[in-house]
Amino acid sequence: MGWGDLGAFGEPSKETPNLDQMASEGMLFLDFYTANPLCSPSRAALLTGRLPVRNGFYTTNAHARNAYTPQDIVGGIPDSELLLPELLKKAGYVNKIIGKWHLGHRPQFHPLKHGFDEWFGSPNCHFGPFDNRALPNIPVYRDWEMIGRYYEDFKIDLKTGEANLTQIYLQEALDFISKQQASQQPFFLYWAIDATHAPVYASKHFLGTSQRGLYGDAVREIDDSIGKILKHLQNLGISGNTFVFFTSDNGAALISAPKQGGSNGRFLCGKQTTFEGGMREPAIAWWPGRIPAGGVSHQLGNVMDLFTTSLSLAGLQPPSDRQIDGIDLLPAILQGKLIDRPIFYYRGNEMMAVRVGLYKAHYWTWSNSWEEYSKGIDFCPGQNVSGVTTHTQEEHTTLPLLFHLGRDPGEKYPLSFASDEYQRAMDRISVVVQQHQATMVPGEPQLNVCDKAVMNWSPPGCEKLGKCLKPPKSDPRKCFWPH
Amino acid sequence: MGWGDLGAFGEPSKETPNLDQMASEGMLFLDFYTANPLCSPSRAALLTGRLPVRNGFYTTNAHARNAYTPQDIVGGIPDSELLLPELLKKAGYVNKIIGKWHLGHRPQFHPLKHGFDEWFGSPNCHFGPFDNRALPNIPVYRDWEMIGRYYEDFKIDLKTGEANLTQIYLQEALDFISKQQASQQPFFLYWAIDATHAPVYASKHFLGTSQRGLYGDAVREIDDSIGKILKHLQNLGISGNTFVFFTSDNGAALISAPKQGGSNGRFLCGKQTTFEGGMREPAIAWWPGRIPAGGVSHQLGNVMDLFTTSLSLAGLQPPSDRQIDGIDLLPAILQGKLIDRPIFYYRGNEMMAVRVGLYKAHYWTWSNSWEEYSKGIDFCPGQNVSGVTTHTQEEHTTLPLLFHLGRDPGEKYPLSFASDEYQRAMDRISVVVQQHQATMVPGEPQLNVCDKAVMNWSPPGCEKLGKCLKPPKSDPRKCFWPH
């Protein structure tokens, strides 16, 4: 989902009454970011509080390449990483993930091995394969075992876009919350729905209800579900001690537009890029009675902050034996403070850009290669900013391209290198970048090796269902990451 | 000002608390349009309820050219046109215009000859000339007489952007309202401020207060002023019987970006064009106790509707001897009804596009000429939609380019001509267009002839001030309209 997909963020159809109300009862973050313009690394960053380049969710197969966890990925979340649910357990929390995990699908990466107590959802994205013959369809797990596969047992009609998955995920959420409330357990629910990822889907009740087409139907169903979850918390009388945060893992995938793609508002480009459209996210914090209603924050935030903030809420300290990139947002949320901190925009193993205050400096620019672009893969459709949305990787490390995101949120007008303003801003930014790079210890890259043998051929539970498939011979090779 | 310039419409700095509150207390219009992508014709349309091609505010000097009322324009609002204040007078209204008139500056076009009782402001835009030597600076009038000139007596510091004009306009508005309330007079106030037109200005108190730079300072001052006007109505106890509407005369002028240009959100291009960025406007209706708070309307609206709606509020009928394009919006505003009506997008003498429902058909596309574009004049900076933002006037009258503005508000993906959806939508649109064109009787074009002799050399009142300048010999010629 993109920054511009909610009514509260200016979507012209204004079809998200529940999220808009969540914002009016809570706090809207206008300058909130994901840690990566792609799904898996963002989610790994959210759960570890660390940049993907630290937690291993990146590739060194080529320079500045986006990588994730398709079915043939060999890697996943390393055991050495401490995940939010692992830490929350120490404070007695019961942890559940509903939806997409995306931190590796081999046995050692299973979410229940990394702190979650319950899981309902899938290890990989719900896009292809769709026939479960040449390649296994993605399994859907309940806790330790597969209970079926997408397209076979959990239908997504690729023609109509109909699927009732969001309704299933909603019911799972409501039931989990009820159960914890009944047993007076503190809980952490990671509700990782994926209806807005192509192939986009919505359940029958929502199909055809949006001005925006199928993508809008999916957004409306998510919006409706979030309204029901918040209402449920209120009905159970626990909204006063439940912190809820809504955000997304990357900007809208403009390559899927217009039928399956969302909106990044007026920001440049989308998913896969380190322009604002790829990484600035809608974000809302909600905690009635604690967060002032109708608040608006310009705090530079990041999904990694949800790690540290959640620990803080549970009275826990973040681990001190490693670099944590997330900060505790509670002073910003509860007291309206503004904490000075940078935002780093990575693509794979490269820091492409950094934001300090309202300034954003691009050290590298790239949308995608001419080769991919010539095939019709366009991450910036209808947009073309000369020297910025480049189709070759352009290095600007000696003289970064600098934008003022207040005057120029669309990253169209680089500041003059000769201006005083450029010099003043870069003086400040350079210190931040030097310090960041000098202390950077990259983790072991997890997204380098692919092997068809590791796909979801025979997930645990497949025997009972008669759904075990025979893997091919192992043939590990370097994953190919074109972007 | 552009659609995306208010917080309520998704401006990322969210710096318009008063307008946002006006929206939350009133009704937000998301699909509201101006009648032309340029100032003078829009204002003429607002005050006459008629398309510029009917009321004469267009040119036939060349095909599909934007024209307005610079100082050397010979024409202006014809006597045959009936303006909103002329009609409101019949119901006992006192009418005042504060700010930019822009319907012609020669004596016969004076606002007090067209129904206004009071005027404080200028006949033309406040941009150049700036030295009052070779050409006269724009006069500022109080009622019948000039009381000074821009840059000489009413300072705008072009270096710092400082000017206290909005504060003067605000005080004029508050005083006028107080006076009418004291004398129990119904009133019509046309508050036509122009701080967001380049050269953009703000008063000292607002300078440097916006994340967005000078343009944002100007927006903040307007926002603050509107808050004060609404508060004044409430303090006087007349908010319950005062209808207030906020909108703009054209999309943000992206040619003035980033320092002096606003935002059209995710819409395509800006001022001067018939893409959504040029003509979709922020719009808010406010009338506490009558308009449901927090309302949102998808009614297709147009500035011309303010003519008919205002007459309706005053218990008057629109003139029946001529075609009126504005509709009465009260059923949409008070009862939430949706009235089926098209939006026509004109550029000079050509209907470039039409919107029916969520479909928009372009019969002609043009941003500007290659010649102008090569000089650096770009109405769509950073945007380029192949075959859409064309630099030659492209005719599509036999097979219009069709967009679905719900799925594709940015006008990037024309529907396939071969699709059923295209056929169905065009069947519906063609009927509307045929009827529109068959009954169209264009007015006498007023914006064809220019003559330096008609400039504001010696406006009434200049003798008293010793500010009369000597006009050159009359030398009327066809105005040159490049866009």
Side-chain angles (χ1 to χ4, degrees):
Chain A
M1 203 181 270
W3 192 93
D5 271 326
L6 311 190
F9 288 83
E11 206 292 313
S13 301
K14 213 169 171 59
E15 291 177 342
T16 53
N18 295 287
L19 285 161
D20 295 358
Q21 192 178 333
M22 180 181 177
S24 73
E25 294 171 4
M27 182 171 273
L28 197 65
F29 283 82
L30 293 160
D31 300 76
F32 198 89
Y33 292 85
T34 183
N36 194 271
L38 215 67
C39 43
S40 301
S42 291
R43 288 156 194 254
L46 186 158
L47 290 173
T48 62
R50 285 150 59 80
L51 281 166
V53 73
R54 295 193 216 274
N55 66 33
F57 265 64
Y58 72 107
T59 182
T60 53
N61 286 1
H63 179 250
R65 299 296 171 114
N66 290 320
Y68 71 107
T69 53
Q71 283 209 78
D72 59 350
I73 196 80
V74 169
I77 191 73
D79 266 343
S80 55
E81 290 297 318
L82 286 170
L83 270 62
L84 177 58
E86 284 179 83
L87 296 166
L88 288 175
K89 264 193 172 166
K90 297 182 191 161
Y93 278 71
V94 177
N95 308 300
K96 178 161 191 162
I97 166 172
I98 298 172
K100 187 164 84 169
W101 166 239
H102 236 192
L103 264 58
H105 60 282
R106 298 174 66 207
Q108 63 269 40
F109 307 127
H110 192 288
L112 271 55
K113 289 207 174 131
H114 291 269
F116 282 104
D117 300 292
E118 299 183 20
W119 180 25
F120 181 88
S122 58
N124 313 76
C125 243
H126 69 270
F127 63 75
F130 309 115
D131 65 358
N132 205 32
R133 281 192 291 268
L135 299 169
N137 283 356
I138 304 296
V140 174
Y141 278 72
R142 174 170 301 286
D143 300 330
W144 290 107
E145 294 190 353
M146 170 168 87
I147 55 167
R149 291 188 194 264
Y150 280 134
Y151 300 98
E152 289 192 277
D153 313 287
F154 293 87
K155 305 284 186 203
I156 301 172
D157 187 323
L158 292 173
K159 224 168 182 170
T160 63
E162 183 179 342
N164 67 340
L165 287 165
T166 302
Q167 291 305 313
I168 298 175
Y169 295 146
L170 169 60
Q171 198 54 51
E172 285 285 325
L174 299 178
D175 291 349
F176 175 73
I177 293 168
S178 297
K179 201 169 69 181
Q180 306 322 314
Q181 190 269 342
S183 59
Q184 298 283 303
Q185 278 290 144
F187 65 89
F188 165 50
L189 170 59
Y190 177 37
W191 198 61
I193 36 74
D194 64 354
T196 51
H197 193 298
V200 165
Y201 61 78
S203 63
K204 197 164 188 181
H205 181 66
F206 290 92
L207 279 184
T209 62
S210 166
Q211 286 194 358
R212 304 178 67 194
L214 183 56
Y215 183 90
D217 296 341
V219 171
R220 291 199 64 229
E221 185 164 16
I222 290 172
D223 174 75
D224 183 78
S225 300
I226 289 166
K228 288 188 168 123
I229 291 172
L230 299 184
K231 192 84 198 144
H232 192 58
L233 293 171
Q234 287 173 317
N235 288 344
L236 293 176
I238 57 173
S239 60
N241 59 354
T242 307
F243 176 83
V244 186
F245 202 92
F246 173 84
T247 191
S248 172
D249 62 345
N250 47 240
L254 301 184
I255 34 164
S256 306
K259 291 204 172 158
Q260 309 242 334
S263 165
N264 300 313
R266 66 179 296 200
F267 296 126
L268 190 62
C269 303
K271 180 174 175 177
Q272 304 269 7
T273 78
T274 49
F275 302 110
E276 291 297 285
M279 291 183 59
R280 209 190 294 202
E281 302 302 327
I284 306 169
W286 185 88
W287 190 8
R290 297 296 298 272
I291 299 176
V296 172
S297 179
H298 282 291
Q299 172 64 48
L300 302 199
N302 196 296
V303 291
M304 299 180 292
D305 302 341
L306 299 177
F307 174 88
T308 308
T309 305
S310 299
L311 292 178
S312 175
L313 285 164
L316 298 169
Q317 292 293 321
S320 57
D321 63 344
R322 61 195 71 201
Q323 181 69 43
I324 299 291
D325 297 287
I327 63 168
D328 181 0
L329 289 178
L330 290 184
I333 294 173
L334 301 180
Q335 291 127 43
K337 288 195 179 152
L338 278 179
I339 305 153
D340 189 25
R341 68 89 67 90
I343 296 292
F344 296 103
Y345 305 70
Y346 270 83
R347 188 156 170 165
N349 58 350
E350 186 59 77
M351 191 203 77
M352 304 287 285
V354 60
R355 176 175 173 181
V356 173
L358 283 166
Y359 292 101
K360 180 175 177 182
H362 288 268
Y363 287 72
W364 287 85
T365 52
W366 195 36
S367 55
N368 64 350
S369 68
W370 283 115
E371 194 190 342
E372 293 286 306
Y373 185 65
S374 69
K375 288 185 213 157
I377 296 172
D378 188 352
F379 297 146
C380 318
Q383 297 177 318
N384 177 29
V385 183
S386 177
V388 179
T389 53
T390 58
H391 291 288
T392 46
Q393 294 191 352
E394 296 291 332
E395 183 168 6
H396 310 277
T397 52
T398 51
L399 209 57
L401 290 186
L402 186 67
F403 296 91
H404 185 282
L405 294 178
R407 299 194 299 268
D408 178 25
E411 293 167 286
K412 287 179 181 163
Y413 306 95
L415 267 71
S416 160
F417 298 129
S419 66
D420 286 351
E421 187 181 3
Y422 181 90
Q423 201 49 59
R424 276 197 310 274
M426 283 312 305
D427 285 351
R428 199 171 143 211
I429 293 169
S430 299
V431 175
V432 172
V433 170
Q434 275 162 25
Q435 207 259 335
H436 176 72
Q437 293 181 329
T439 59
M440 172 56 69
V441 183
E444 191 69 34
Q446 298 296 319
L447 308 180
N448 280 351
V449 184
C450 288
D451 184 351
K452 280 196 174 173
V454 305
M455 295 180 100
N456 296 288
W457 303 102
S458 298
C462 70
E463 300 85 354
K464 281 188 226 167
L465 299 172
K467 282 185 180 286
C468 302
L469 300 172
K470 199 177 140 46
K473 234 186 83 188
S474 174
D475 179 21
R477 48 184 73 198
K478 271 190 173 184
C479 309
F480 173 63
W481 303 116
H483 309 302
Chain B
M1 204 182 269
W3 192 91
D5 271 326
L6 311 190
F9 289 83
E11 206 292 313
S13 301
K14 212 168 172 62
E15 291 177 342
T16 54
N18 295 286
L19 285 161
D20 295 358
Q21 192 179 334
M22 181 181 176
S24 73
E25 294 171 4
M27 182 172 274
L28 197 65
F29 283 82
L30 293 160
D31 299 77
F32 198 89
Y33 291 86
T34 182
N36 195 269
L38 214 66
C39 44
S40 301
S42 291
R43 288 156 194 254
L46 186 159
L47 290 173
T48 61
R50 284 151 58 80
L51 282 167
V53 71
R54 295 193 215 274
N55 67 32
F57 266 64
Y58 72 106
T59 183
T60 53
N61 286 0
H63 178 250
R65 299 297 171 112
N66 291 319
Y68 70 108
T69 53
Q71 282 210 79
D72 60 351
I73 196 81
V74 169
I77 190 74
D79 267 343
S80 55
E81 290 298 317
L82 286 170
L83 270 62
L84 177 58
E86 283 179 84
L87 297 165
L88 289 175
K89 264 194 171 165
K90 296 181 190 163
Y93 277 70
V94 177
N95 308 301
K96 178 161 191 162
I97 167 173
I98 297 172
K100 186 163 86 169
W101 166 239
H102 236 192
L103 265 57
H105 60 281
R106 298 173 66 207
Q108 63 269 40
F109 307 126
H110 192 288
L112 272 56
K113 288 207 173 131
H114 291 269
F116 282 103
D117 300 294
E118 299 183 20
W119 181 25
F120 181 87
S122 58
N124 313 78
C125 243
H126 70 269
F127 62 75
F130 308 114
D131 64 356
N132 205 32
R133 281 191 291 269
L135 299 170
N137 282 357
I138 304 296
V140 174
Y141 279 72
R142 174 171 298 288
D143 300 330
W144 289 107
E145 294 191 349
M146 169 169 87
I147 56 168
R149 290 188 195 264
Y150 279 134
Y151 299 100
E152 289 193 276
D153 313 287
F154 294 87
K155 305 283 186 202
I156 301 172
D157 187 322
L158 292 173
K159 222 165 183 175
T160 63
E162 183 179 343
N164 68 340
L165 287 164
T166 302
Q167 291 305 312
I168 298 174
Y169 295 145
L170 169 61
Q171 198 54 52
E172 285 285 327
L174 300 176
D175 291 347
F176 173 73
I177 293 167
S178 298
K179 202 169 67 181
Q180 305 322 313
Q181 190 270 342
S183 59
Q184 298 282 303
Q185 279 289 144
F187 66 89
F188 165 51
L189 170 60
Y190 177 38
W191 198 60
I193 36 74
D194 64 354
T196 50
H197 193 299
V200 165
Y201 60 78
S203 63
K204 197 165 188 179
H205 181 65
F206 290 92
L207 279 183
T209 62
S210 166
Q211 287 194 357
R212 304 178 68 195
L214 184 56
Y215 183 89
D217 297 340
V219 171
R220 290 199 65 228
E221 185 164 15
I222 290 172
D223 175 75
D224 183 78
S225 300
I226 288 165
K228 289 189 167 121
I229 291 172
L230 300 183
K231 192 86 199 144
H232 193 57
L233 294 171
Q234 286 172 319
N235 289 343
L236 294 176
I238 57 173
S239 60
N241 60 354
T242 306
F243 177 83
V244 186
F245 203 92
F246 174 83
T247 191
S248 173
D249 63 344
N250 48 239
L254 301 184
I255 34 165
S256 306
K259 291 204 172 156
Q260 309 242 334
S263 164
N264 301 313
R266 65 179 297 200
F267 295 127
L268 190 62
C269 303
K271 181 174 174 178
Q272 304 268 7
T273 78
T274 48
F275 302 111
E276 291 297 286
M279 291 182 60
R280 209 192 292 205
E281 303 301 328
I284 306 168
W286 185 87
W287 190 7
R290 297 296 298 272
I291 299 176
V296 172
S297 179
H298 282 292
Q299 173 64 46
L300 301 199
N302 196 295
V303 291
M304 299 180 292
D305 302 342
L306 299 177
F307 173 88
T308 309
T309 305
S310 299
L311 292 178
S312 174
L313 285 164
L316 297 169
Q317 292 293 321
S320 57
D321 63 342
R322 61 196 69 201
Q323 181 69 43
I324 300 292
D325 297 288
I327 64 168
D328 182 359
L329 289 178
L330 290 184
I333 295 173
L334 301 180
Q335 291 128 43
K337 290 195 178 152
L338 278 180
I339 305 153
D340 188 26
R341 69 88 69 90
I343 297 292
F344 296 102
Y345 304 69
Y346 270 83
R347 188 153 168 168
N349 59 350
E350 187 59 79
M351 191 204 78
M352 306 286 286
V354 59
R355 175 175 173 181
V356 173
L358 282 166
Y359 292 102
K360 179 175 177 183
H362 287 269
Y363 287 72
W364 287 85
T365 52
W366 194 37
S367 55
N368 64 350
S369 68
W370 284 114
E371 194 191 342
E372 293 286 306
Y373 184 66
S374 69
K375 288 184 213 159
I377 296 171
D378 189 353
F379 297 147
C380 318
Q383 297 176 318
N384 176 29
V385 184
S386 178
V388 178
T389 54
T390 59
H391 290 289
T392 46
Q393 294 191 350
E394 296 291 331
E395 184 169 4
H396 310 277
T397 52
T398 52
L399 209 57
L401 290 186
L402 186 67
F403 295 91
H404 186 281
L405 294 178
R407 299 195 299 268
D408 177 24
E411 294 167 284
K412 286 179 182 162
Y413 306 95
L415 268 73
S416 160
F417 298 129
S419 65
D420 287 350
E421 186 182 5
Y422 182 90
Q423 201 50 58
R424 276 197 310 274
M426 283 312 304
D427 284 351
R428 199 170 141 211
I429 292 170
S430 298
V431 175
V432 171
V433 170
Q434 274 161 24
Q435 207 259 335
H436 177 71
Q437 292 182 329
T439 58
M440 173 55 69
V441 183
E444 189 70 35
Q446 298 295 317
L447 308 179
N448 281 350
V449 184
C450 287
D451 184 349
K452 280 197 175 172
V454 306
M455 294 181 100
N456 296 288
W457 303 101
S458 298
C462 70
E463 301 85 352
K464 280 188 225 166
L465 299 171
K467 282 187 179 285
C468 302
L469 300 172
K470 199 175 141 45
K473 236 186 86 190
S474 174
D475 179 21
R477 47 183 73 198
K478 272 190 172 184
C479 309
F480 173 63
W481 304 115
H483 310 302

